[in-house]
């Protein structure tokens, strides 16, 4: 396997780019694996990688019904941040951000993590104080966070709407270490690195059934035939958007999850126009924007507000983000939307995820990332691998379990209440 | 745009409505045990396909509706007022409901 | 030679000259021109520079699929209207238009960035994934971020203005029976047929003229037919919109349209929107959007002078521009022959290279020969020659199924027809899967047959006559489906060429190093596709993401099919050994990407319409809004409301003003606009029972004429909202909610009554806008109210005791509701008047209050007063707080069940060591601290802390800063211990005492008067 | 007691003016109507007919209107409508104007609430009124669909509003707090219709 570097590019340039090999094998399914991860999205691929890299696990398959990284991995607005404050969340997301900072080196794949700063605009004293609590918590727990006054914000982003805004901007909460990464590259980087450690990534292999032997999974049925799991074998689910369907296949009933639709948007490419991630949320609006390295303005807003498995959205959400975009960046009025598309999210009852054991002894669940799963994927894989390898949750993810609703554990960063559509 | 045929107002854009929740959930009595409330408030079938769900015609007649909709295609099969008394009233007056004629 | 305007012909208005500028040089065109046609007519051939390699580009098409002639239009004014990435091929010419090249320095003719082209062998698809990681420095991203700066600057095509867009945009709504997309022969026929059957038909066309391909045919051939079809549609009552693109189809037979209202005008009226975004709800949609001509990949197939054959036909017949004098037409299908003939007739020397074998083109060759055109079968273009424009073409000849070098041909234009791709994008938006038609070498999509129909070239029907019939068939089918009488017309079969197309996507010969563009707009080459294959990015989704194929501003209209074909070919070769150059690659096996809206890029301004600037969201004003402003109020945001924040006098700061206001309330009296509180009429025989279910405390036995403070929980047992509810009669209550949750609570009550408890006979009605409210607070409040009351006896302790509710008339007949309730801890009242009388009420109250030495107070003073009393608001009730956390556990009635009563008993919500509401006071009374600070144990200023500060004020009553917040275990757990308010984002830590939240008048003596 | 002066939400903002090019006949004529009298009458489902009959009697019309419809009564001494009854929700009517008779609905039948001050009332007419309204309102206002006497609630610039077609006029009711904001947006769009803003009129006037 070629190690990627400037030198390898140069050598191959001289050779007409003919000597590159496959980034990962196109593995055929075998009849038996020790560990099966269902879903070759970011979380599944990262889990497989860390199982092999951190825990020395072998004989691992990742099953993907379509193409790896073809779901939400490739359909998000690529924002990476760790500005979480609730005790159950804070150390997890900080760990994830630290993994991001070395991910390109770890994977020998440039995931283009650009720590360009994440700026949340503030409009009211109450919002400023709420942000202070959050960013103070981040600072006290070893992360970075700042409150900017209006002058500092104007110096950093001079062309925001300071003159004619319905909701005047009074300052910003900033995490400088946050930023964006190239979403596809993360999937491909994990896939390549996992493949190098012997993981079989099996594409076009849809799981159609889960066979149980009492309270264990004994096999998974797939569109490419059954795959058995040994006595010490384990199965992990990482199938955002379709978690409930797999859960039902395992005969486990209901989950605190609903599938909802979120759209993402990109404009025509432009010369550099915005150097940070900017987040806008006031008066019921919710909006985030950054510029890709290619030049497109990449942005998104709220869910489409109704439950949906359809990967296409509707016009009201399109209008809403256009209103937000031009409201904070009035120069975007003439900028043209190039594409908008929808993905399906595991929305949970408290906006928080699950990395946990299940009622079945060898089945593990990684789900419920709402629309914050991209930034979480390294730590999600890290801790899910740890959970599967050691059959117990690390303290960091203790609250990411299914029992928290019964017990009354609250890690809802928004306080929005038990309604999936209100989280994000 | 999902177009929802409101039994009072006629067919309207979904943006006039607010999505509620899974209408198959039966809320237990207020003094029911914790397990019953846990299931009603937190657990969902999350159907891919036709489900019953509530919507409120927030910017129209403000009725809460029970909508039978396919979550994979957004196709709507039926709509009725959630309140049985309202449904009965509309059934009686249903000849020109919402047509504006 | 380059292109030139012919002395006559075309659909341009030669009587009028339009001056415009290109890169500062003045040129002239005519009405009816596009910028591209006018530039070609003016001899300008090098118009753009490509995205990645900065290759020279010219006009490649005559439509929205343009990949070469992307320009920046300066726009009128100071640069705020600068519009980058405009396709010159669809920009209508107007007088004064100023356009310039982009993505080049110093200009498109001499571009230093073209060095990238020389290094292109080191910059293949995906090269950036493999490098720029650098050594691990600091966080690990240092090197990448340094490189990223340069990469970002090199990427990005045009530069957008940073000034606010000065133009206005608007939305519009339309309804119709049938929406027809496309104003060509199929669309016109469909619209006319449906309209004649009695349907309301809306026809939209992106071009500025109706006619579609008929506009590109010679006037002598097609003029009459077009006039007849236009007349037919018009007389049938079809509503037609030009300059209007159907950019997306959505659920429910809804289409999004963009109408370009002023983009073609030199000096539009100031009140016209630049563009209009239409939402159209149709019952049926007929997609007659035509088809897009493809090219094939060959060396330098992006040089200025290489153009689509159909585009050349448009320039020749519609704009009277001859694209060259010595023209090579390269094709694999019949459609290029008419244009070859027309070009020859216009005086050009034309040679046709047809990739098909001689026996398949014999008849076409004979007809062409009669016009002096040589047709060379088995031939295709191999490489365009010429640094900045085409000067010659190297030709490939096929022998024994292999391409080989076939000589060189001097020419100044190469016109390519590689086949046609039906515009199925709109169908795909709604989930219609593209299917590869091997016979016609194109993707088609099945319209769903119910709401969606297709006609014309969008259905892969190539012949004009058949297109027209297909339109009639679709229009009639739509009419019948909608219950109208219409004849059954058979839909013509797809296709329509005499000699079948030969699938051909790339021409290359062994050993030749060719730069062959697949997706010219993103500089994706044929080699890039093969590299993607080599590295395993073989699925269509991986291919497009790895190479960026089809992800550019044309959405893959030019290149997608070629990219898929090359991948299919590579896959075929890998599996079959050697598929051979002549084989038809199995494109179906690679699949097609899902087309996403918009069909063509749409300005964000149009999508947002008038929701911009101060109107981004409606501003909600209380009836006293202006009254408050006139008395010096500084406003602050409260949801969609603006509310008085403070009323500075004589240049007071915020702190000075609110401290004075709060002190005045404590000493004498103050007035505060509380209109924004939610107000709900709760009426009916079961209203009392209903309130008992939604509030944690009891309401059933609340006497008529009394108010009570209540708290609502959510189903999960956490606090939803609070407020007072007044009992006006046995069956009539007046509920107030917080400003923030007014709408939420209203919808929640409706849900409970309609969905969960339909047996309850209760009506709720929002009366928030009906009533304007004023709090009158302070020891002199009774005196002030008495002074303006029409009958002061209504205000006696007996008539209106603490928590009493009544009606009163003040200011000479203003009918008010009044309750003696207090948020400030003072003797206080809330008075509500019908909104149109609000200012009259305020005038009366203020006259009395001013005379009593009172003040107007805003939200900041309101906050100070409530913090002194430990009253919770939104900062505390943040959706994660229980009754007990907020110190309101006593509000939970025992012995009755209410919403949330079961789940609030969950064990984690009942823990004693949960953070609980406390008061906070600095140890050093002179010290100041902030809301948002984290409460820590002294000496332990790290970690998650023990609690947090929610609100802080300077207490005029206590003379120092105080706050409230939550801390683990509450006051009891902290007795005798101090804490530290850590605020690293703003200030140094401050040592504080944890005290009771009731910091002022804890017994409430003042409030009871 | 002297009649109190009502200060509407658009007070000082709805003065007469001409918008747009200002030549020729206006395409749209709009203006504020003051002095709204509005009572909302609600019925329990099983009392809908009885309450409807009482509402109709109070309004001076033969029968209460069905969903999406309104009926008007004429004052005895004038050609102008005295009262109108609009069916705005399945169980609710709006009674506009001065009732011809008393309205005594007890709690066992339904509920009445005064909303006279809760809405701003804008009247819009002119040859292009429907087209103009459709710049904002997602309602099917085509002649055959939204006939005279039609009533519909919908959303206009994020605000829930009610539209009633009375004769050649469109009567638009906007929640008071939002009214000025919505009015400002309405005026922005009106200019391209060569609109005329007519002076505020009292209830029933403005023809």
């Amino acid at each position: 396997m070629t190690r990627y570097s400037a030198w390898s590019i140069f050598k191959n340039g001289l050779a007409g780019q003919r000597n590159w090999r496959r980034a990962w094998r196109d593995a055929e399914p075998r009849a038996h694996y020790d560990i099966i991860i269902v879903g070759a999205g970011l979380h599944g691929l990262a889990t497989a990688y860390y199982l092999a890299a951190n825990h020395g696990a072998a004989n691992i398959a990742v099953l993907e019904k379509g193409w790896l990284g073809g779901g939400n991995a490739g359909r998000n607005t690529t924002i990476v941040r760790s500005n979480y404050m609730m005790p159950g969340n804070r150390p997890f997301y900080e760990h994830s951000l630290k993994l991001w900072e070395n991910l390109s080196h770890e994977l020998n794949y440039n995931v283009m993590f650009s720590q360009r700063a994440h700026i949340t605009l503030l409009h009211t004293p109450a919002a400023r104080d709420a942000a202070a609590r959050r960013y103070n918590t981040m600072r006290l727990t070893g992360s970075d966070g700042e409150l900017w006054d209006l002058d500092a914000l104007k110096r950093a982003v001079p062309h925001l709407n300071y003159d004619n805004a319905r909701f005047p901007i009074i300052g910003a909460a900033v995490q400088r270490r946050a930023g964006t990464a190239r979403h596809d590259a993360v999937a491909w980087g994990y896939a390549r690195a996992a493949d190098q450690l012997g993981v079989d990534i099996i594409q076009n292999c849809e799981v159609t059934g889960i066979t149980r032997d009492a309270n264990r999974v004994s096999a998974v049925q797939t569109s490419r035939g059954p795959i058995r799991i040994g006595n010490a074998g384990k199965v992990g689910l990482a199938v955002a958007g379709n978690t409930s369907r797999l859960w039902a296949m395992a005969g486990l009933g209901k989950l605190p999850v609903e599938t909802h639709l979120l759209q993402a948007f990109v404009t025509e490419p432009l010369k550099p126009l915005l150097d940070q991630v900017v987040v806008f949320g006031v008066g019921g609006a919710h909006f985030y924007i950054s510029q890709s390295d290619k030049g497109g303005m990449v942005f998104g807003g709220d869910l489409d507000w109704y439950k949906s498995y359809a990967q296409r959205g509707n016009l009201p959400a399109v209008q809403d983000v256009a209103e937000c975009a031009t409201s904070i960046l009035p120069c975007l009025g003439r900028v043209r939307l190039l594409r908008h598309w929808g993905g399906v999210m595991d929305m949970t009852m408290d906006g928080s995820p699950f990395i946990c054991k299940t009622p079945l002894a060898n089945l593990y669940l990684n789900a419920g990332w709402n629309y914050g799963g991209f930034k979480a994927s390294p730590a999600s894989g890290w801790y899910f691998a740890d959970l599967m390898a050691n059959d117990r949750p690390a303290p960091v993810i203790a609250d990411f379990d299914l029992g928290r609703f019964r017990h009354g554990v609250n890690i809802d960063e928004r306080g929005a209440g038990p309604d999936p559509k209100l989280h994000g | 745009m999902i177009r929802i045929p409101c039994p009072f107002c006629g067919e309207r854009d979904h943006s006039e409505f607010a999505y509620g929740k899974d209408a198959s959930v039966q809320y237990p009595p207020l003094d029911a045990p914790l397990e019953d409330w846990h299931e009603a408030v937190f657990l969902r079938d999350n159907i891919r396909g036709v489900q019953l769900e509530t919507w409120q015609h927030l910017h129209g007649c403000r009725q809460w509706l029970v909508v039978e909709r396919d979550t994979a295609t957004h196709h709507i099969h039926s709509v009725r007022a959630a309140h049985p008394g309202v449904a009965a009233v509309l059934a009686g007056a249903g000849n020109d409901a919402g047509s504006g004629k | 030679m380059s292109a030139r305007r012919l002395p006559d012909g075309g659909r341009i208005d030669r009587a009028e000259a339009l001056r415009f500028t290109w890169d500062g040089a003045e040129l002239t065109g005519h009405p009816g021109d596009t910028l591209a046609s006018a530039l070609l007519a003016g001899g300008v051939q090098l118009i753009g520079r490509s995205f990645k390699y900065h290759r020279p580009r010219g006009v490649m098409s005559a439509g929205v699929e343009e990949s070469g002639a992307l320009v920046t239009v300066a726009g009128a004014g100071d640069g705020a209207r600068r519009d980058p990435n405009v396709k010159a091929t669809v920009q209508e010419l107007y007088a004064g238009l100023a356009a310039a090249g982009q993505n080049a320095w110093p200009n498109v003719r001499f571009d230093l960035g073209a060095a990238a082209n020389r290094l292109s062998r080191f910059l293949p698809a995906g090269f950036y994934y493999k490098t720029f990681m650098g050594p691990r420095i600091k966080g690990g991203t240092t090197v990448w971020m340094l490189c990223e700066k340069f990469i970002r600057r090199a990427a990005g095509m045009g530069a957008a203005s940073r000034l606010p867009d000065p133009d206005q945009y608007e939305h519009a709504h339309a309804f119709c029976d049938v929406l027809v997309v496309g104003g060509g022969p199929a669309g016109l026929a469909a619209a006319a047929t449906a309209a004649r059957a009695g349907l309301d038909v809306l026809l939209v066309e992106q071009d500025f003229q109706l006619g579609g391909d008929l506009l590109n045919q010679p006037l002598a051939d097609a003029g009459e037919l077009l006039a007849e079809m236009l007349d037919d549609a018009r007389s049938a009552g079809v509503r037609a919109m030009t300059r209007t693109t159907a950019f997306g189809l959505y659920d429910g037979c809804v289409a999004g349209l963009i109408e370009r209202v002023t983009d073609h005008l030199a000096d539009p009226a100031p009140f016209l929107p630049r563009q209009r975004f239409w939402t159209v709800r149709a019952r049926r949609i007929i997609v007659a959007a035509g088809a897009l001509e493809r090219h094939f990949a060959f060396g330098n197939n992006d040089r200025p002078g290489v153009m689509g054959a159909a585009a050349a036909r448009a320039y020749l017949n519609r704009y009277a521009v001859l694209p060259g004098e010595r023209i090579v037409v390269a094709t694999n299908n019949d459609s290029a022959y008419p244009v070859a003939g027309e070009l020859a007739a216009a005086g050009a020397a034309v040679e046709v290279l047809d990739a098909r074998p001689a026996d398949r083109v014999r008849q076409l060759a004979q007809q062409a020969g009669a016009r002096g055109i040589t047709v060379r079968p088995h031939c295709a273009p191999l490489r365009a020659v010429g640094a900045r424009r085409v000067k010659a073409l190297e030709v490939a000849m096929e022998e024994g199924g292999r391409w080989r070098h076939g000589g060189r041909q001097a020419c100044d234009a190469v016109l390519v027809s590689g086949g046609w791709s039906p515009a199925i994008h709109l169908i795909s938006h709604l989930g219609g899967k593209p299917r590869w038609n091997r016979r016609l070498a194109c993707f088609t999509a099945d319209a769903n047959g119910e709401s969606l129909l297709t006609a014309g070239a969008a259905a892969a029907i190539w012949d004009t006559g058949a297109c027209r019939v297909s339109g009639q068939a679709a229009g009639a089918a739509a009419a019948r489906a909608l219950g109208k009488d219409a004849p059954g017309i058979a839909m013509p079969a797809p296709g329509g060429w005499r000699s079948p197309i030969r699938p051909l996507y790339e021409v290359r010969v062994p050993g030749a190093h060719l730069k062959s563009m697949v997706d010219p707009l993103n500089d994706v080459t044929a080699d890039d596709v093969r590299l993607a294959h080599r590295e395993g990015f073989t699925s269509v989704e991986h291919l497009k993401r790895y190479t960026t194929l089809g992800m550019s501003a044309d959405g893959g209209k030019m290149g997608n099919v070629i990219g898929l074909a090359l991948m299919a070919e590579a896959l075929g070769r890998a599996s079959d050994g050697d598929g051979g150059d002549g084989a038809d690659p199995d494109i179906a096996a690679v699949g097609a990407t899902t087309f996403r809206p918009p069909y063509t890029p749409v300005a964000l301004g149009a999508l947002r319409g008038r929701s911009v600037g101060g109107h981004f969201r409606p501003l909600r004003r209380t009836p006293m809004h202006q009254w408050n402003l006139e008395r010096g109020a500084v406003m602050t945001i409260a949801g969609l409301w603006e509310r008085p924040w403070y009323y500075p006098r004589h240049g007071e700061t915020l702190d000075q003003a609110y401290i004075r206001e709060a002190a005045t309330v404590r000493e004498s009296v103050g007035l505060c606009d509380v209109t924004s509180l939610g107000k709900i009429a709760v009426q009916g025989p079961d209203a009392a029972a209903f309130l008992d279910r939604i509030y944690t405390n009891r309401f059933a036995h609340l006497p008529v004429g009394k108010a009570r403070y209540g708290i609502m929980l959510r189903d999960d047992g956490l606090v939803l909202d609070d407020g007072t509810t007044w009992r006006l009669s046995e069956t009539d209550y007046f509920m107030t909610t917080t400003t923030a949750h007014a709408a939420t609570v209203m919808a929640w009550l409706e849900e409970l009554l309609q969905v969960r408890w339909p047996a309850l006979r209760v009506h709720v009605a929002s009366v928030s806008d009906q009533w304007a409210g004023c709090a009158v607070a302070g020891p002199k409040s009774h005196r002030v109210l008495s002074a303006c009351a029409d009958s002061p006896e209504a205000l006696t302790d007996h008539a209106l005791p603490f928590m009493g509710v009544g009606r009163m008339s003040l200011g000479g007949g203003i009918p008010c509701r009044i309750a003696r309730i207090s948020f400030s801890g003072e003797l206080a009242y809330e008075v509500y008047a019908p909104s149109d009388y609000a200012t009259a009420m305020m005038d009366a109250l203020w006259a009395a209050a001013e005379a009593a030495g009172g003040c107007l107070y805003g939200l900041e003073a309101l906050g100070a007063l409530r913090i002194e009393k430990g009253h919770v608001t939104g900062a505390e009730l943040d959706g994660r707080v229980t009754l007990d956390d907020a110190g309101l556990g006593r509000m939970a009635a025992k012995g009755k069940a209410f919403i949330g009563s079961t789940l609030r008993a969950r064990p984690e919500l009942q823990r004693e060591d949960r953070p609980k509401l406390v008061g906070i006071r600095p140890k050093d009374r002179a010290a100041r601290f902030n809301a948002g600070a984290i409460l820590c144990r002294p000496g332990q200023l790290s970690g998650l802390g023990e609690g947090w500060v929610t609100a802080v004020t300077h207490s005029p009553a206590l003379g120092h800063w105080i706050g409230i917040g939550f801390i683990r275990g509450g006051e009891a757990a902290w007795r005798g211990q101090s804490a530290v308010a850590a605020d690293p984002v703003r200030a140094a830590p401050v040592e504080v005492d944890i005290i009771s939240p009731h910091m002022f008048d804890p017994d409430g003596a003042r409030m009871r008067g | 007691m002297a009649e109190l002066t009502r200060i509407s939400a658009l007070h000082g903002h709805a003065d007469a003016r001409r918008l747009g090019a200002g030549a020729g006949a206006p395409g749209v004529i709009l203006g504020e109507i003051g002095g709204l009298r509005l009572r909302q009458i609600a019925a329990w489902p099983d009392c809908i007919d009885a309450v409807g009959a009482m509402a109709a009697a109070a309004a001076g019309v033969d029968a209460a209107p069905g969903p999406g419809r309104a009926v008007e009564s004429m004052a005895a001494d004038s050609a102008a409508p005295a009262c109108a009854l609009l069916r705005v929700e399945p169980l609710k009517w709006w009674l506009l104007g001065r009732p011809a008779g008393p309205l005594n609905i007890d709690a066992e039948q339904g509920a009445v609430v005064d909303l006279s001050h809760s809405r701003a009332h804008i009247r819009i007419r002119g040859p292009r009124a429907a087209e103009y309204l459709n710049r904002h309102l997602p309602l099917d206002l085509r002649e055959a669909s939204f006939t005279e006497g039609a009533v519909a609630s919908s959303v206009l610039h994020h605000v829930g509003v009610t539209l009633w077609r009375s004769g050649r006029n469109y009567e638009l009711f906007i929640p008071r707090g939002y009214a000025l904001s919505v009015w400002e947006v309405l005026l922005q769009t009106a200019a391209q219709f060569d609109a005329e803003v007519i002076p505020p009129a009292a209830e029933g006037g403005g023809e």
Side-chain angles (χ1 to χ4, degrees), chain C residues 395-585:
Chain C
V395 176
M397 286 181 66
E398 195 182 36
E399 266 184 13
R402 302 273 171 202
W403 293 106
R404 63 168 182 81
H405 220 286
R408 181 172 167 139
Q409 171 83 38
C411 62
D412 57 4
V414 178
L415 309 182
V416 184
S417 180
W420 291 80
S421 299
I424 54 173
H425 305 66
L426 293 173
I427 298 160
S428 178
H429 294 171
L430 277 180
K433 287 268 177 268
R435 287 190 304 126
W436 182 249
N437 182 321
R438 212 175 174 112
R439 181 173 68 87
L440 300 176
C442 65
F443 281 104
T444 56
D446 289 335
N448 64 17
E450 292 172 27
S451 53
L452 273 183
L453 303 148
T454 54
I461 296 166
W462 307 138
D463 173 72
T464 301
C467 281
R468 188 180 181 190
V469 174
S470 77
Q472 291 162 343
R480 284 195 309 277
L482 295 176
K484 300 289 183 186
D485 265 347
I489 299 171
M491 181 63 76
W497 288 321
R498 258 186 278 165
S499 178
I501 187 170
R502 175 202 168 163
L504 177 66
Y505 305 97
E506 185 191 17
V507 183
R508 60 185 173 124
V509 300
H513 292 289
L514 302 175
K515 204 72 172 174
S516 307
M517 290 293 154
V518 173
D519 180 345
L521 200 41
N522 263 352
D523 275 351
V524 179
T525 66
D527 284 340
D528 285 332
V529 177
R530 282 185 278 272
L531 174 65
H533 170 257
R534 216 168 286 139
E535 297 195 83
F537 296 90
T538 53
S539 85
V540 59
E541 293 295 334
H542 287 162
L543 170 65
K544 77 170 185 184
R545 287 172 185 162
Y546 193 65
T547 63
T548 73
L549 171 74
M551 301 188 83
S552 55
D554 81 336
K557 294 184 183 73
M558 284 288 261
N560 255 8
V561 168
I562 299 171
L564 299 177
L566 297 188
M567 180 58 76
E569 192 181 285
L571 286 168
R573 197 175 295 125
S575 58
D576 309 340
D578 189 343
D581 283 357
D584 184 5

Side-chain angles (χ1 to χ4, degrees), chain A residues 100-178:
Chain A
W100 275 110
E101 288 176 316
N102 270 312
L103 201 55
S104 295
H105 298 281
E106 164 111 27
L107 302 179
N108 179 232
Y109 205 89
N110 186 3
V111 301
M112 303 187 194
F113 180 35
S114 170
Q115 294 183 283
R116 52 177 68 179
H118 177 275
I119 297 177
T120 303
L121 303 181
L122 302 173
H123 307 268
T124 63
R128 185 191 57 212
D129 293 342
R133 176 186 171 198
R134 178 175 299 275
Y135 284 70
N136 274 329
T137 305
M138 289 155 62
R139 284 278 283 274
L140 293 172
T141 49
S143 188
D144 69 312
E146 298 165 35
L147 281 194
W148 286 358
D149 64 14
L150 194 54
D151 287 340
L153 180 61
K154 283 182 174 174
R155 281 193 300 275
V157 198
H159 46 305
L160 290 173
N161 187 359
Y162 299 108
D163 304 325
N164 178 34
R166 169 69 179 82
F167 301 104
I169 302 166
I170 64 167
V174 181
Q175 185 176 31
R176 286 186 193 264
R177 285 163 63 234

Side-chain angles (χ1 to χ4, degrees), chain A residues 244 307-309 314 406, chain B residues 1 35 46 51 69 71 74:
Chain A
S244 298
K307 206 191 105 178
S308 174
Y309 280 90
N314 276 302
R406 192 174 273 106
Chain B
M1 196 82 79
E35 270 311 306
N46 194 19
Q51 71 165 15
R69 186 183 63 109
T71 60
H74 298 166

